[in-house]
């Protein structure tokens, strides 16, 4: 009883404090209070529900049987839209707050919402080494399904809640991408419901134009209902080597050198200042030195980027063996390093041991509850951007990020970009090595102004024939956007498949200049 009185008194004091400070002030300046007391428990309930659902679907083997029925329902909704006169654009009915992107999808309020409830793994074909999945299958769900069977996918983008559909219609990358390319390059077929309600399958040999046009199209060519993704054998551990490097030129040389080595299963860099970084290389293995195993994914462990920083501060190299699934989701618990701005004491050992099992809060719930004040604050004083630039421009790009943003750490992730048709390909006729530079956090540059600074950054990225990931805020004009991306195949297919009345152009869907 005394414990209940203590909890009750504590909640009463909290409510009085919130009333005194004002709810908006608390949500903006002390957001951790709301996150810790409400969003973390709610996130746990979300996870439990989806895990139980996935388990039940797998045990009953119901996903393949129900898939065809669900697709027919999507087709019926599209045909109903046509009967109504095709007066509005169509979009998926999934609420905007459920997406991992920080952008608010206001278009969903005025477009025709097509409900797409497709979130299951349909088939694991070990002989063909292909897994067939529905678009709302998440990375956490997929690796949990495949790893016990001895399989994984070649590119497992960070963050558990990223979905297959989002990674195809947008893009996805990981530290294995220097071998396999972007997430889209590991897919061998897509199934879509088109603007006329028909169901089509596309691959490099079947409806190939559509296959290459779908990635980066953001759902503006049709509704993705299934995808086939390559699988590779899984191994128990990633043997990871940490190497601190100082001096920008040396950092770029070392990172480029390691990214070109196919014997490295994984390559990643964390840049902690303009001239300090840790370069990590990893190889998959089934053997491990027991004394060097680090289960970095355990809830009480330090956040990964903080763990890596210890090697820089100590100025020493190191080798560890990380369980594969822990490695694939190594930045999930801290949402890279975004969580330190939301829960400043989140990496404190006391918090980790007592409450780390509840971390991270769902990004979707953070979006849902952020309110207009926080949204505007983030928009003006916070950056979440990934820019894809040629490896040969890495040093110049880092210097530009430093001058225009001054955000650290910076995430460096190499990838090979094949010369395939579509919106994103190298300037020349050959595959080229690129690097994703990820900036997440509060810019320390004086006189930072979101629109002006990001337009300057976008201009630089266009000048080196780079690309901006489309999940983030984009400030380009329509002409600048199509200067960055190759729209020839995309526009040709929109014309051929009568998409212009069915879906907005990708620019109108994602760019701030078009939405305001």
């Amino acid at each position: 009883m005394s414990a209940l009185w203590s909890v009750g008194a504590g909640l009463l004091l909290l409510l009085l404090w919130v009333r005194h400070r004002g709810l908006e002030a608390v949500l903006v300046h002390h957001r951790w209070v709301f996150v810790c007391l409400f969003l973390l428990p709610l996130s746990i309930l979300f996870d439990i529900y989806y895990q139980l659902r996935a388990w039940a679907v797998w045990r009953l083997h119901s996903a393949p049987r129900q898939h065809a029925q669900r697709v027919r329902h999507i087709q019926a909704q599209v045909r109903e839209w046509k009967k109504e006169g095709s007066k509005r654009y169509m979009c998926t009915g999934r609420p905007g707050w459920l997406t991992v992107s920080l952008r608010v999808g206001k278009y969903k309020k005025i477009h025709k919402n097509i409900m797409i409830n497709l979130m299951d793994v349909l088939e694991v074909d070990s002989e063909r080494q292909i897994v067939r999945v529905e678009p709302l299958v998440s990375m956490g769900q997929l690796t949990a399904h495949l790893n016990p069977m001895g399989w994984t996918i070649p590119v497992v983008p960070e963050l558990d809640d990223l979905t297959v559909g989002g990674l195809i219609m947008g893009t996805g990358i990981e530290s294995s991408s220097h071998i396999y390319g972007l997430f889209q390059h590991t897919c061998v077929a897509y199934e879509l419901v088109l603007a006329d309600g028909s169901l089509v399958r596309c691959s490099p040999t079947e409806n190939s134009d559509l296959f290459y046009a779908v990635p980066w199209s953001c759902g503006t060519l049709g509704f993705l209902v299934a995808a086939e993704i390559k699988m590779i054998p899984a191994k128990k551990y990633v043997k990871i080597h940490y190497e601190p490097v100082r001096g920008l030129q040396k950092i770029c040389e070392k990172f480029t050198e390691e990214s070109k080595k196919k014997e490295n299963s994984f390559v990643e860099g964390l840049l902690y200042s303009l001239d300090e970084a840790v370069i990590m290389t990893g190889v998959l293995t089934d053997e491990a030195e027991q004394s060097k195993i680090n289960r970095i994914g355990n809830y009480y462990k330090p956040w990964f980027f903080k763990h890596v920083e210890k090697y820089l501060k100590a100025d020493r190299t190191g080798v560890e063996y990380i369980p594969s699934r822990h490695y694939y989701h190594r930045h999930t618990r801290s949402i890279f390093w975004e969580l330190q701005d939301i829960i400043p004491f989140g990496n404190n050992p006391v918090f980790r041991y007592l409450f780390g099992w509840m971390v991270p809060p769902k990004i979707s719930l953070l979006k849902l509850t952020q309110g207009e004040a926080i949204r505007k604050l983030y928009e003006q004083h916070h950056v979440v951007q990934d820019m894809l630039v040629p490896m040969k421009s890495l040093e110049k790009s880092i210097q530009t990020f430093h001058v225009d943003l001054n955000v650290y750490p910076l995430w460096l992730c190499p990838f090979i970009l094949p010369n395939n048709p579509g919106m994103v390909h190298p300037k020349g006729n050959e595959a080229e090595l690129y690097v994703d530079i990820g900036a997440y956090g509060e810019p320390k540059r004086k006189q930072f102004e979101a629109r002006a600074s990001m337009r300057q950054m976008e201009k630089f990225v266009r000048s080196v024939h780079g690309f901006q990931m489309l999940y983030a805020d984009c400030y380009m004009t329509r002409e600048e956007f199509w200067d960055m991306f190759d729209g020839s195949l995309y526009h040709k297919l929109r014309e051929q498949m009568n998409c212009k009345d069915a879906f907005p152009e990708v620019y109108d869907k994602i760019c701030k200049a078009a939405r305001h």
Side-chain angles (χ1 to χ4, degrees):
M1 185 63 71
S2 59
L4 288 174
W5 277 109
S6 298
V7 171
L11 287 174
L12 179 60
L13 288 173
L14 176 64
L15 290 172
L16 290 173
W17 177 68
V18 169
R19 183 178 179 183
H20 171 70
R21 292 297 304 267
L23 181 59
E24 185 174 288
V26 170
L27 289 178
V28 172
H29 301 293
H30 305 279
R31 200 177 183 200
W32 63 266
V33 175
F34 182 71
V35 170
C36 291
L37 291 181
F38 299 101
L39 295 195
L40 288 180
L42 198 55
S43 297
I44 292 293
L45 293 177
F46 262 63
D47 281 336
I48 291 172
Y49 166 74
Y50 282 113
Q51 287 170 11
L52 287 175
R53 185 195 176 281
W55 178 85
V57 167
W58 176 72
R59 292 291 295 177
L60 297 173
H61 199 60
S62 60
R65 294 197 302 270
Q66 295 180 356
H67 175 72
Q69 179 182 340
R70 290 171 180 162
V71 170
R72 285 193 293 271
H73 178 60
I74 294 166
Q75 292 178 281
Q77 292 178 77
V78 173
R79 289 176 182 134
E80 182 64 27
W81 166 81
K82 287 177 66 69
K83 285 181 183 177
E84 293 171 353
S86 310
K87 296 175 183 177
R88 297 181 289 164
Y89 288 137
M90 291 184 289
C91 68
T92 64
R94 190 186 189 206
W97 61 269
L98 273 175
T99 63
V100 172
S101 167
L102 295 180
R103 185 173 55 246
V104 178
K106 295 180 180 179
Y107 59 87
K108 289 184 181 283
K109 295 179 180 179
I110 57 174
H111 293 176
K112 171 72 173 179
N113 282 215
I114 304 298
M115 301 310 297
I116 298 180
N117 184 30
L118 301 172
M119 56 182 71
D120 295 316
V121 178
L122 298 173
E123 179 186 5
V124 178
D125 189 333
S126 299
E127 188 174 329
R128 293 174 58 219
Q129 295 193 16
I130 296 293
V131 58
R132 182 168 173 254
V133 301
E134 292 179 328
L136 294 181
V137 167
S138 69
M139 289 299 99
Q141 176 188 354
L142 186 54
T143 54
H145 189 97
L146 292 180
N147 290 172
M149 299 180 181
W151 295 103
T152 187
I153 55 175
V155 175
V156 184
E158 269 291 351
L159 305 185
D160 285 9
D161 291 340
L162 291 171
T163 63
V164 167
L167 294 168
I168 290 170
M169 290 296 183
T171 194
I173 191 172
E174 239 307 320
S175 52
S176 56
S177 289
H178 66 296
I179 299 173
Y180 299 104
L182 300 171
F183 185 83
Q184 70 204 55
H185 301 127
T186 68
C187 298
V188 297
Y190 308 127
E191 296 169 38
L192 296 100
V193 171
L194 303 183
D196 62 359
S198 62
L199 175 65
V200 300
R201 182 180 186 273
C202 57
S203 71
T205 57
E206 179 184 5
N207 298 311
S208 60
D209 278 358
L210 181 58
F211 176 79
Y212 290 115
V214 162
W216 295 75
S217 66
C218 297
T220 59
L221 293 173
F223 295 110
L224 183 71
V225 295
E228 295 176 25
I229 309 167
K230 295 176 187 175
M231 298 189 305
I232 59 173
K235 294 193 176 182
K236 292 180 182 178
Y237 302 100
V238 175
K239 181 182 179 181
I240 188 167
H241 179 263
Y242 304 91
E243 182 170 350
V245 185
R246 286 178 166 81
L248 182 56
Q249 185 177 351
K250 288 183 179 179
I251 291 169
C252 295
E253 289 174 353
K254 180 65 176 175
F255 186 75
T256 303
E257 175 190 343
E258 296 297 342
S259 299
K260 290 179 179 178
K261 295 178 181 177
K262 301 301 182 186
E263 59 266 33
N264 288 328
S265 304
F266 307 98
V267 179
E268 175 182 27
L270 293 184
L271 199 68
Y272 290 92
S273 71
L274 182 61
D275 58 0
E276 292 181 310
V278 177
I279 307 299
M280 288 162 280
T281 56
V283 293
L284 286 163
T285 179
D286 283 322
E287 305 296 329
E289 298 176 50
Q290 292 300 310
S291 62
K292 294 183 179 179
I293 293 176
N294 185 357
R295 303 183 187 280
I296 195 70
N298 289 348
Y299 70 88
Y300 52 82
K301 287 285 190 174
W303 290 343
F304 185 69
F305 78 98
K306 287 294 188 183
H307 172 67
V308 173
E309 191 176 18
K310 292 178 182 177
Y311 290 94
L312 182 66
K313 290 180 176 178
D315 196 24
R316 65 180 178 89
T317 61
V319 173
E320 289 183 328
Y321 295 83
I322 299 178
S324 294
R325 193 156 185 265
H326 289 217
Y327 177 82
Y328 289 135
H329 303 287
R330 63 200 177 281
H331 292 298
T332 292
R333 287 190 302 120
S334 58
I335 317 178
F336 281 87
W337 27 95
E338 286 284 275
L339 199 57
Q340 66 182 349
D341 291 332
I342 300 170
I343 307 177
F345 46 83
N347 194 48
N348 183 282
V350 175
F351 180 86
R352 291 201 315 267
Y353 274 89
L354 292 178
F355 305 108
W357 57 276
M358 303 175 75
V359 167
K362 291 285 185 187
I363 296 176
S364 54
L365 294 179
L366 289 170
K367 280 179 64 177
L368 179 65
T369 58
Q370 68 181 356
E372 192 64 18
I374 295 177
R375 190 188 68 78
K376 287 182 177 178
L377 187 72
Y378 263 65
E379 187 174 301
Q380 291 302 320
H381 304 287
H382 199 86
V383 167
V384 180
Q385 291 282 349
D386 284 83
M387 298 295 187
L388 315 180
V389 298
M391 186 68 79
K392 62 191 177 188
S393 303
L394 178 57
E395 185 173 349
K396 188 194 304 183
S397 299
I398 291 173
Q399 289 170 337
T400 302
F401 269 72
H402 180 79
V403 171
D404 290 346
L405 301 179
N406 195 9
V407 171
Y408 293 99
L410 287 177
W411 190 53
L412 304 181
C413 185
F415 68 100
I416 191 71
L417 185 60
N419 186 34
N420 292 337
M423 285 176 60
V424 172
H425 55 75
K427 191 172 184 179
N429 296 322
E430 303 293 331
E432 186 174 349
L433 192 61
Y434 270 61
V435 57
D436 173 11
I437 304 178
Y440 324 119
E442 183 180 348
K444 299 300 189 292
R445 180 206 173 199
K446 293 179 180 178
Q447 293 90 41
F448 172 82
E449 197 280 314
R451 185 179 184 278
S453 298
M454 287 316 306
R455 279 191 53 76
Q456 184 69 21
M457 182 68 70
E458 290 164 348
K459 180 180 179 181
F460 167 78
V461 172
R462 290 196 306 274
S463 74
V464 297
H465 198 73
F467 308 95
Q468 180 180 27
M469 281 198 185
L470 301 184
Y471 76 88
D473 283 334
C474 175
Y475 294 84
M476 290 182 281
T477 66
R478 193 180 303 273
E479 292 72 22
E480 290 166 344
F481 182 85
W482 291 118
D483 180 45
M484 177 179 284
F485 297 98
D486 182 354
S488 54
L489 180 61
Y490 172 78
H491 290 301
K492 170 188 162 186
L493 284 176
R494 276 179 60 84
E495 192 75 42
Q496 287 180 358
M497 301 190 306
N498 299 315
C499 293
K500 291 189 173 181
D501 293 329
F503 308 105
E505 186 184 295
V506 61
Y507 175 81
D508 295 304
K509 193 170 182 179
I510 64 100
C511 285
K512 294 184 77 68
R515 292 184 285 117
H516 293 279

